[in-house]
């Protein structure tokens, strides 16, 4: 493997472990071992464990941002239906990973926001960027008269993302998708004022 | 101090540290040191670190449950106003602790639900019990005609608690109470169907 490929293998192995057991609880040696990379070579790829953690955040962000773009910017689908597809994808993930993961960015936020200003700032940027995908899709729903003209799309987008994060957390604890379904139902039935 | 007092001092010191840096990242020696209890005596008070973690959960649960009871079962205040008081108390906490804590039960859920079935089960019980405080207050709001007769109070209570947890998480990351205010505003303006 090239240096870049090995680095990417470490990021992917690290994401998997960190998603399940957290950043502080993940040892560098476990990541090397999971990726099949020789011990002692970690610092050839990353300047510090923090540098590694930021690379894991950026990797997850890139992948999730692409999913948001695929689902919420799909102009072949009506805007509100795109949100249904987004919720369905999250529900399928929760079951596929057997309630073991949740959202890596949500997990790291919970764990690290109060501990480390560099992580907090990066995670804040990620959430803000994701929120803008919701804003744009809601704007398209408004333009298509699927929601009322006076809808405050920024407020709604923020509540949608944060409420969904909370529902994912509760689903992990309950080992049930019910909290996510309940949230999605309430989103469509109540939060969208002036919906047709 | 009596054995019970020392045990309680360890729980309180542990809660403080765990709320800021997580359970896995909290060492037994740091807890003993913060509580001013001699090193080596931890296992006189707790059979294991897990046993200690469960005691911390129960302690936080008891305190928060009392707050929920005080605020949401206060029959001298109109039911919906009680929710305003509840949101206000959470906002004040977030500022008082300088965005450093969030909700201990939310934090531990994020960290431990997928790792440890004993913790997951206990945290699930806590969330379910808290949800019932919201259900009862919403039932009183319905009886007082503050919300419509067809409101699904279980669905709403679950979304209220989970959405609030998500808003608290986002507030920590943003170092701003705005996500909490936005959620509370949307709760009152949209989620309560048939509100007078």
């Amino acid at each position: 493997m090239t240096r870049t490929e090995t680095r990417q293998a470490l990021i992917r192995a690290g994401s998997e472990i960190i998603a399940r057991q957290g950043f502080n609880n993940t040892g560098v040696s476990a990541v090397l071992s999971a990726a099949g990379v020789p011990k002692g070579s970690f610092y050839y790829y990353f300047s510090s464990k923090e540098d590694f953690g930021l690379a894991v955040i950026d990797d997850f962000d890139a992948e999730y941002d692409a999913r948001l773009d695929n689902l919420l910017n799909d102009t072949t689908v009506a805007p509100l239906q795109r949100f249904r597809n987004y919720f369905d994808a999250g529900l399928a993930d929760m079951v596929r990973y057997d309630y073991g993961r949740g959202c890596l960015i949500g997990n790291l936020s919970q764990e690290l926001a109060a501990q480390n200003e560099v992580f907090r700032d990066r995670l804040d940027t990620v959430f803000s960027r994701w929120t803008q995908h919701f804003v744009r899709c809601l704007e398209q729903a408004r333009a298509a008269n699927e929601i009322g003209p006076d809808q405050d799309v920024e407020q709604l987008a923020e509540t949608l993302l944060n409420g969904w994060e909370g529902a994912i957390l509760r689903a992990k604890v309950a080992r049930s998708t019910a909290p996510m379904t309940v949230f999605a139902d309430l989103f469509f039935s109540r939060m969208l004022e002036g919906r047709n």
Side-chain angles (χ1 to χ4, degrees), chain A residues 128-194:
Chain A
S128 297
R129 196 171 331 111
W130 289 0
T131 306
Q132 289 312 305
H133 285 285
F134 294 113
V135 168
R136 282 190 293 272
C137 191
L138 286 165
E139 282 170 347
Q140 291 174 42
R142 193 167 55 187
N145 284 322
E146 287 194 309
I147 61 174
D150 299 329
Q151 187 91 40
D152 181 339
V153 295
E154 295 276 352
Q155 181 195 53
L156 191 59
E158 176 132 15
T159 300
L160 174 49
L161 178 57
N162 301 342
W164 188 239
E165 285 282 345
I168 286 171
L169 173 62
R170 186 73 185 90
K172 270 174 71 179
V173 175
R175 288 189 63 80
S176 160
T177 52
M180 298 166 75
T181 309
V182 162
F183 179 83
D185 287 350
L186 202 71
F187 172 75
F188 288 112
S189 67
R190 296 283 166 76
M191 295 187 213
L192 301 172
E193 192 173 49

Side-chain angles (χ1 to χ4, degrees), chain A residues 2 4 11 15 21-22 30 34 37-38 46-47 64 66 77 85 88 93 97 148-149 153 160 165 169 173 184 189:
Chain A
T2 65
T4 304
I11 289 170
S15 300
Q21 63 189 45
V37 174
F46 303 98
S47 64
Y64 203 77
V77 174
N85 295 346
D88 285 347
D93 273 357
Y97 296 116
V153 295
L160 174 49
E165 285 282 345
L169 173 62
V173 175
S189 67

Side-chain angles (χ1 to χ4, degrees), chain A residues 44-73:
Chain A
Y44 176 68
Y45 301 102
F46 303 98
S47 64
S48 62
K49 194 183 162 194
E50 179 181 293
D51 178 42
F52 173 65
L54 292 172
V56 166
I57 290 172
D58 289 346
D59 181 71
F60 187 91
D61 177 30
E63 194 175 302
Y64 203 77
D65 201 71
R67 168 188 283 201
L68 287 168
D69 194 50
N70 276 334
L71 290 172
L72 297 182
N73 206 19

Side-chain angles (χ1 to χ4, degrees), chain A residues 28-43:
Chain A
V28 161
S29 61
V31 175
L32 288 162
S33 167
V37 174
K39 301 225 172 199
S41 63
F42 185 81
Y43 295 98

